[in-house]
Amino acid sequence: MASECDGRKPEMRKDAVNNKWVIFSPARARRPSDFKSKSNTNNSNHQSECPFCLGHEHECAPEIFRFSPDSPSDWKVRVIQNLYPALSRDLQPPVVHESNPQSISCVPGFGFHDVVIESPVHSLHLSDLKPVEVGEVLLAYKKRIQQLSAHDSIKYVQVFKNHGASAGASMSHSHSQIMALPVVPPMVSARLDSMREYYDKTGRCSLCDIQLNNLLIDKSAHFISIVPFAATFPFEIWIIPVDHSAHFHEIDAEKAADLGGLLKLLLRKISLELNNPPFNFMIHTSPIQDTPSQLPFSHWFVQIVPQLTGVGGFEMGTGCHINPVFPEDAAKILREVSISS
């Protein structure tokens, strides 16, 4: 099958935000417009009710809080403890010396692992909700991050969503997760170091300075969505606040609803164009206890990764990924996906 990338040569591009190289190899791709998921996540959802559904609250781990529209028995979003947490909130927090954190190689698995149930209705996905309802899910993230920030032992909070079994979801009911860690993970430190290096060289934030060119997908009043210049994965998307902001939990209700609308639009675009693929999304933000010197170069963003390709030995051995779809092609395809209101 002929490729839209015929005549284009392989390229290596550097991701200035994460300080890593990506190989773009059009010879390994079909036409980018034919790059669809082989596993439609709708096909695996045969349940009608589960412990996350309205009326089954007693089957879940303890509730932390809920957003209720009218009565206490009703709810729109629930945040609960994870029944099978990766970290334990009951352990003694480790003592990590800030002057030399690398000197510690093993600490107790203290931390928090929570679940955000995005809707009481089993059949509704995040992309089915109204923009303001998606915004309420985002505000639930904000509230929980603020609560976790009160713990001196917590250094970083990761919000993420796994959609589809092959993307890591163990429940088909739409939900996301929050993990609070007593350390700053290495990938986060590497991202901040790379952003600091760019700032030291240019005096500008790398995300504020991003060149849209042909990478823009869509934009809203407060956010832009792009396929990054050195996208690690095919059809990877970043949603970036237009105004410089280091911490996701600084978002207000207006911006949360605005982000909710753009996030909904993008999830519908990848579902329609890529056959409702499994996906992950992550909120990349700043450490809880950052310093004032980090604020000028640290800029939070949302990353959406459709699961369309696997990771092989080269990627695992080098940390350098091979992407068969040029970002400009992916952005054009997603830009042109028509979504009926």
Side-chain angles (χ1 to χ4, degrees):
M1 181 180 291
S3 168
E4 290 182 7
C5 296
D6 281 349
R8 298 181 71 172
K9 305 298 183 184
E11 288 183 11
M12 293 187 68
R13 296 185 180 184
K14 187 175 183 181
D15 177 352
V17 173
N18 295 293
N19 193 28
K20 60 184 180 182
W21 288 90
V22 180
I23 297 172
F24 292 91
S25 181
R28 298 168 65 92
R30 298 163 290 173
R31 290 183 302 164
S33 57
D34 291 338
F35 219 96
K36 298 181 184 291
S37 170
K38 297 180 179 66
S39 56
N40 186 317
T41 52
N42 280 337
N43 296 335
S44 59
N45 187 5
H46 302 296
Q47 274 185 294
S48 58
E49 289 192 353
C50 75
F52 288 175
C53 292
L54 183 68
H56 293 257
E57 293 83 359
H58 62 285
E59 300 177 34
C60 295
E63 180 179 294
I64 300 168
F65 66 84
R66 65 174 63 185
F67 288 169
S68 302
D70 298 308
S71 65
S73 61
D74 199 4
W75 54 272
K76 300 176 79 171
V77 181
R78 290 180 74 223
V79 179
I80 64 173
Q81 297 181 22
N82 194 311
L83 193 60
Y84 305 103
L87 297 169
S88 173
R89 67 194 71 210
D90 299 322
L91 293 177
Q92 185 70 22
V95 178
V96 179
H97 299 287
E98 296 299 328
S99 59
N100 189 17
Q102 303 303 323
S103 64
I104 299 176
S105 59
C106 183
V107 297
F110 164 82
F112 296 83
H113 190 176
D114 304 326
V115 175
V116 180
I117 306 173
E118 299 159 355
S119 167
V121 181
H122 188 88
S123 59
L124 291 182
H125 294 295
L126 193 62
S127 58
D128 297 320
L129 303 181
K130 299 175 183 177
V132 69
E133 293 173 330
V134 180
E136 288 171 342
V137 174
L138 300 173
L139 290 174
Y141 300 160
K142 169 184 176 169
K143 179 175 179 177
R144 186 56 181 149
I145 293 171
Q146 289 175 324
Q147 291 176 340
L148 293 166
S149 299
H151 296 267
D152 291 338
S153 53
I154 294 302
K155 303 296 189 293
Y156 191 78
V157 180
Q158 180 65 63
V159 177
F160 62 98
K161 178 178 176 64
N162 304 327
H163 174 75
S166 61
S170 57
M171 299 280 286
S172 58
H173 192 124
S174 191
H175 69 285
S176 35
Q177 300 181 61
I178 301 175
M179 291 187 67
L181 309 174
V183 297
V184 178
M187 285 183 63
V188 176
S189 296
R191 168 169 54 85
L192 293 173
D193 288 343
S194 182
M195 296 176 100
R196 178 189 291 109
E197 181 181 355
Y198 186 93
Y199 181 80
D200 289 343
K201 288 180 179 178
T202 67
R204 300 186 299 273
C205 162
S206 55
L207 286 182
C208 291
D209 209 29
I210 207 157
Q211 301 299 307
L212 298 179
N213 296 327
N214 297 319
L215 301 173
L216 182 70
I217 303 170
D218 213 316
K219 60 184 178 180
S220 64
H222 300 287
F223 298 90
I224 61 169
S225 61
I226 65 167
V227 177
F229 171 75
T232 302
F233 306 99
F235 294 92
E236 176 183 348
I237 298 170
W238 289 5
I239 307 176
I240 306 168
V242 173
D243 295 329
H244 184 83
S245 176
H247 292 280
F248 167 79
H249 65 264
E250 295 172 344
I251 196 169
D252 60 23
E254 178 191 349
K255 290 183 178 179
D258 185 55
L259 175 56
L262 186 56
L263 179 57
K264 171 186 172 75
L265 173 68
L266 295 167
L267 293 180
R268 292 182 69 190
K269 278 177 176 278
I270 64 173
S271 177
L272 184 62
E273 178 61 32
L274 303 174
N275 192 33
N276 192 21
F279 68 83
N280 307 95
F281 85 60
M282 295 72 66
I283 297 177
H284 299 289
T285 186
S286 295
I288 297 299
Q289 301 171 11
D290 60 357
T291 62
S293 64
Q294 291 178 319
L295 297 179
F297 60 78
S298 182
H299 194 140
W300 72 266
F301 65 100
V302 179
Q303 178 189 25
I304 306 171
V305 179
Q307 294 293 333
L308 301 170
T309 58
V311 174
F314 175 78
E315 287 87 351
M316 289 187 279
T318 64
C320 181
H321 285 245
I322 301 174
N323 188 338
V325 182
F326 274 93
E328 293 82 1
D329 294 332
K332 181 176 185 294
I333 290 167
L334 292 174
R335 230 180 4 253
E336 294 176 354
V337 175
S338 178
I339 300 294
S340 57
S341 57

